């Protein structure tokens, strides 16, 4: 059990049964997503529930629904929620994102996800881990194209994707009535090119922009004010990485 238990400052998260282990992408997403002003949050493809737990920690009043299609993941997430300080505000549900709107009567102020984004050409998956890592049952495009029916009037979608796919997803979002509100390139070290990009979308006219719904942001080349460097050298976290994840990692 010990080797499958990931300990954070305010909670511990078992990740031995779920479809994918806790990784840097999930923690970055949970720490970077804008949870302010949210009453209802949806974590799509929750796995063991780590992003949902991080959102519950960061927003002391929000209710968080975590969904996954993988039975063992949902059961493990539910166990992690019960063992957390925020058990009364967290719920794990086995559900398909594409049919969720027909099962619920309420909408969400934030949808957050670390979606599968490996396109290997496979159409079926032999194991839950393969399905979790490949665009078989869920993808960034699926989230963008289908989130509006689940978002409240001023709702947001926060996600992480490969850096080289960011511009394409921004264009897809615009086609689906969503504007880019924030983005952040993620680089392993200062000398490496970006590997990931964190994206936040909202409805056109989203009040959180404070501009009455003006033009969306456009993704530009990475620079100091729109990127995050994880390590200054091997094993040494950058100051900005420490600040972002300070409330979670034990050694930050």
């Amino acid at each position: 059990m010990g080797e499958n238990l990931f300990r954070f400052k305010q909670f511990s998260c078992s990740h031995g049964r779920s479809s994918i282990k806790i990784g840097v992408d999930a923690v970055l997403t949970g720490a970077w997503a804008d949870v302010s002003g949210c009453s209802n949050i949806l974590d799509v493809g929750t796995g063991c529930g780590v992003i949902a737990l991080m959102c519950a920690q960061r927003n002391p009043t929000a209710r968080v629904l975590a969904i996954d299609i993988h039975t063992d993941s949902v059961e493990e997430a539910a166990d992690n929620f019960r063992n957390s300080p925020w058990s009364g505000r967290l719920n794990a549900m086995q559900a398909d994102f594409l049919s969720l709107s027909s099962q619920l009567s309420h909408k969400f102020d934030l949808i957050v996800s670390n979606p599968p984004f490996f396109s290997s050409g496979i159409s079926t998956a032999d194991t839950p881990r393969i399905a979790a890592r490949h665009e078989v049952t869920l993808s960034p495009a699926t989230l963008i194209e289908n989130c509006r029916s689940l978002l409240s009037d001023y709702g947001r979608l926060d996600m992480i994707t490969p850096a080289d796919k960011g511009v394409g997803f921004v264009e897809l979002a615009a086609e689906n009535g969503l504007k880019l509100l924030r983005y952040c390139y993620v680089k392993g070290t200062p000398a490496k090119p970006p590997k990931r990009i964190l994206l936040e979308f909202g409805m056109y006219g989203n009040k959180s922009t404070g501009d009455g719904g003006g033009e969306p942001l456009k993704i530009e080349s990475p620079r100091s004010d729109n990127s995050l460097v994880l390590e200054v050298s091997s094993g040494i976290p950058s100051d900005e990485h420490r600040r972002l994840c300070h409330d979670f990692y034990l050694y930050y």
Side-chain angles (χ1 to χ4, degrees):
M1 178 69 174
E3 65 183 23
N4 289 319
L5 190 67
F6 200 112
R7 299 182 186 279
F8 294 92
K9 287 182 176 177
Q10 294 191 35
F11 65 91
S12 294
C13 196
S14 174
H15 59 153
R17 291 177 286 154
S18 57
S19 54
I20 193 166
K21 300 283 188 180
I22 294 173
V24 173
D25 287 356
V27 176
L28 288 176
T29 304
W32 187 82
D34 183 3
V35 301
S36 62
C38 295
S39 297
N40 291 289
I41 297 173
L42 174 65
D43 175 17
V44 181
T46 193
C48 64
V50 63
I51 293 177
L53 285 159
M54 293 176 73
C55 290
Q57 177 181 324
R58 294 178 59 216
N59 184 319
T61 60
R63 303 191 67 83
V64 186
L65 174 63
I67 66 168
D68 206 296
I69 62 169
H70 179 224
T71 302
D72 287 345
S73 294
V74 174
E75 291 177 352
E76 185 164 49
D79 288 343
N80 287 327
F81 294 168
R82 279 192 292 270
N83 293 326
S84 78
W86 316 286
S87 57
R89 298 189 286 113
L90 287 154
N91 183 36
M93 175 181 176
Q94 188 166 2
D96 186 334
F97 175 69
L98 293 178
S99 60
L100 188 64
S101 61
S102 64
Q103 302 176 50
L104 301 175
S105 58
H106 66 275
K107 295 184 182 292
F108 297 91
D109 305 307
L110 173 67
I111 296 175
V112 62
S113 184
N114 171 25
F117 41 67
F118 288 101
S119 298
S120 60
I122 63 173
S123 58
T124 59
D126 295 331
T127 68
R129 181 172 176 80
I130 291 175
R133 291 174 60 83
H134 293 75
E135 298 176 0
V136 178
T137 57
L138 181 68
S139 71
T142 301
L143 285 165
I144 291 169
E145 292 170 340
N146 296 277
C147 69
R148 285 179 62 91
S149 63
L150 286 163
L151 284 174
S152 61
D153 290 344
Y154 303 110
R156 301 181 294 270
L157 169 65
D158 281 39
M159 60 199 297
I160 190 168
T161 76
D164 61 356
K165 301 287 186 66
V167 172
F169 289 136
V170 171
E171 293 173 350
L172 180 63
E175 293 170 5
N176 285 272
L178 300 171
K179 66 186 295 183
L180 180 64
L181 302 179
R182 289 190 303 147
Y183 69 95
C184 179
Y185 283 106
V186 180
K187 304 171 68 173
T189 63
K192 289 183 178 179
K195 186 176 182 180
R196 299 282 186 264
I197 188 168
L198 291 152
L199 300 167
E200 181 175 88
F201 300 105
M203 309 284 201
Y204 276 92
N206 188 313
K207 68 179 180 182
S208 68
T209 65
D211 62 4
E215 290 299 313
L217 291 177
K218 293 182 180 180
I219 290 181
E220 301 178 2
S221 299
R223 56 180 191 268
S224 60
D225 63 341
N226 69 12
S227 63
L228 169 68
V229 175
L230 299 182
E231 296 181 334
V232 292
S233 60
S234 181
I236 308 299
S238 67
D239 289 342
E240 57 264 37
H241 191 193
R242 287 181 182 274
R243 284 192 295 270
L244 179 65
C245 298
H246 175 267
D247 291 338
F248 301 101
Y249 287 139
L250 295 176
Y251 51 93
Y252 276 23

